[in-house]
Each structure stands twice: as C-alpha cells, then as structure tokens.
Amino acid sequence: MANEVDLTRPSAARVYDYYLGGAHNFAVDREMAEQAMGMWPDLPLIMQANRAFLRRAVRFCVDAGIRQFLDLGSGIPTVGNVHEVAQAAAPDARVVYVDSDPIAVAYSRTILDGDQRTVAVQADLRKPDEVLGNPEVRSLLNFEEPIAVMMVAVLHFVSDSDDPAAIIAGYREVMAPGSFLAISHASQDGQPHQAGSHQDLYRRTPTPMTMRSKAQVTDLFEEFNVVEPGVVFLPLWRPSSLDDVDEHPERFSGLAAVGRKPATASR
C-alpha cells in the first residue's frame, strides 16, 4: 500500500476519521486536522453533526422501505456508519461503500470482513458509469428496486469544473422511482469568515474543497422532491429531539437534505 499512496499528503477521508475519533489515520492527517481546528475550533462538532445527519437520514430511508444503500465518498466506515445503522433497523439491508482513497478502502475491507451484505469498492464517484458498472456493486445492489444514494460530506470535494449536477444525474438515471438521494455539503453560509482559510488548507490534499451556498445545494436536487424540512443546517434536519438542536445551528455551516425520485419519473 505504501507504494500506491503518497503518505506525505493528508487525505480528506483520514482527516475526517480523526475528527470523529477514529484510529485509521496517519501523522500527516492529524497534523492537518489539528491545524484546521486551531483556526476553526468547532470543526469536530461540525463533523459529529454531519455523522448524526447521516444516521438520521439512513433511519429515515429504512423507515421508508429502503433496503439497499450506495454510499459515495464513504471514507472509512467508523462507528455509526451506514451499514451499522441500516442493519440495526433492517438486518437484510445491503450497503456498498465507494471511495477513491485506497487506504480508506483497505481499512474498510478489513472492518467489513465477514459481512456478506456490505462491500467496499475503490472507485471515483465522479465517474458514475464506472461505479455503476463495477461487478461488486452490481452483485449486491438491484437498481430495479428503490435505493438510497448517499453523498454525505463529499460533493464539496467535487469542483465546479467536474460538474456535480451532471455527476448526480448519472446516478439518478439508473435509480428506480421512489429512490432517495441524501446530501450534506460544506457551505460558507453561517460562518463565512471561516470559509476562506479552511478551503486554503484543503488545497494541501488531493481533494480541494469547494463550499456552496444553500441555493447551489438546492439545485443539486434537480428532478428530486426534497422532503421536509428542505435544505437546512445539519442539526435542523429532522432532529431526534429539540434538545439536539443548538441555539445557533448556523455555526455548523454544513447544509443537509434528502430528496426522493418521483414515482412518475422516467428512467
């Protein structure tokens, strides 16, 4: 693995793992995370709020009858990830994790060893045809049935030049009516004074960051019906209780929403 990966550069997936208290990261990742937290002390709380949104979105989809999940840009499936939440509620749920970081995928495969309903695939989410054509993806997921596509904390690593809306459309075309799309996205909304330095820091990684506004995130749900409460700050998306909502939800500066492909949509 050391021959395949530049261990002198931090990885967004491993930095995220560090923020969540995981152990699957290296000194270079921890150094960047600590530097980022020095500039923006709320970052661990923001990442935890993002993970909490992921858990609520998965439970929402399971309650709606979804039994298969495609998690794009999944990072390392540390505690509380998609397969754990989904299978706790529905033991027959199937999950495919997709990430471009070979170390993240290697760790994922170790963590998931023995779970016949979950698999980790190394692929670039920006290439829907390659992801959807992967034999492991096709063997576990049935695109004739509704599916939940998770794009949680990943589209801000897709540049405008890569056209995130077109990428989403590539997945939307094969999603059965009744499928869900879950997105969380870093935004300048809420804490604009922090955004510039944070984006500068991520230019050190292979995945620079592009923060987007609420209007831009809303546009990513083209041809999906966004469920209530719409595109909101992370803690405001269907909180388990009002006690879980901070007095200043804008301090979390991440936006989240879930959309459903209409039953009348063509495929």
Side-chain angles (χ1 to χ4, degrees):
M1 186 64 67
N3 294 328
E4 301 176 29
V5 180
D6 181 2
L7 297 181
T8 66
R9 298 184 70 189
S11 154
R14 300 192 305 266
V15 170
Y16 184 51
D17 176 72
Y18 179 72
Y19 285 138
L20 294 175
H24 306 294
N25 47 74
F26 299 108
V28 66
D29 308 306
R30 296 188 286 274
E31 179 184 352
M32 176 177 159
E34 292 292 343
Q35 185 178 348
M37 288 187 290
M39 296 185 296
W40 196 343
D42 283 341
L43 279 175
L45 293 177
I46 294 171
M47 303 307 170
Q48 291 163 20
N50 183 74
R51 179 53 60 93
F53 160 71
L54 179 145
R55 292 194 294 266
R56 296 195 304 274
V58 169
R59 286 195 292 267
F60 171 82
C61 291
V62 170
D63 289 345
I66 299 297
R67 294 296 181 269
Q68 46 182 0
F69 294 80
L70 178 62
D71 188 357
L72 300 168
S74 56
I76 300 165
T78 49
V79 174
N81 218 300
V82 174
H83 73 285
E84 293 180 332
V85 177
Q87 293 173 357
D92 58 337
R94 308 183 304 281
V95 179
V96 173
Y97 291 112
V98 176
D99 204 279
S100 60
D101 185 329
I103 291 182
V105 174
Y107 276 135
S108 300
R109 288 173 175 165
T110 300
I111 293 168
L112 300 171
D113 187 38
D115 186 341
Q116 301 301 313
R117 294 184 176 276
T118 310
V119 67
V121 172
Q122 184 180 345
D124 188 336
L125 71 86
R126 295 173 299 176
K127 301 176 181 178
D129 289 344
E130 292 185 15
V131 172
L132 297 170
N134 183 286
E136 289 184 284
V137 175
R138 285 288 176 178
S139 67
L140 201 61
L141 302 180
N142 177 8
F143 288 92
E144 296 299 317
E145 299 177 354
I147 186 172
V149 174
M150 316 295 293
M151 292 185 165
V152 175
V154 67
L155 288 174
H156 44 246
F157 297 122
V158 176
S159 67
D160 290 338
S161 61
D162 284 326
D163 197 350
I167 292 169
I168 292 172
Y171 294 100
R172 185 182 65 233
E173 289 175 0
V174 303
M175 294 165 66
S179 294
F180 289 94
L181 171 67
I183 293 176
S184 67
H185 200 298
S187 176
Q188 295 180 351
D189 298 0
Q191 296 200 56
H193 56 287
Q194 300 281 18
S197 59
H198 196 59
Q199 291 179 95
D200 288 342
L201 191 61
Y202 267 87
R203 292 190 180 98
R204 293 173 45 191
T205 76
T207 49
M209 178 178 286
T210 301
M211 294 185 176
R212 296 185 171 95
S213 67
K214 180 177 180 177
Q216 290 173 311
V217 174
T218 300
D219 287 344
L220 296 176
F221 285 93
E222 183 180 3
E223 296 189 31
F224 288 92
N225 294 330
V226 179
V227 304
E228 292 294 334
V231 179
V232 294
F233 288 117
L234 291 165
L236 298 178
W237 196 88
R238 296 178 177 255
S240 300
S241 75
L242 293 179
D243 293 337
D244 295 332
V245 179
D246 191 87
E247 290 183 1
H248 299 282
E250 72 279 359
R251 70 190 280 239
F252 292 89
S253 69
L255 298 170
V258 174
R260 190 169 195 175
K261 186 172 181 179
T264 57
S266 60
R267 295 180 60 194

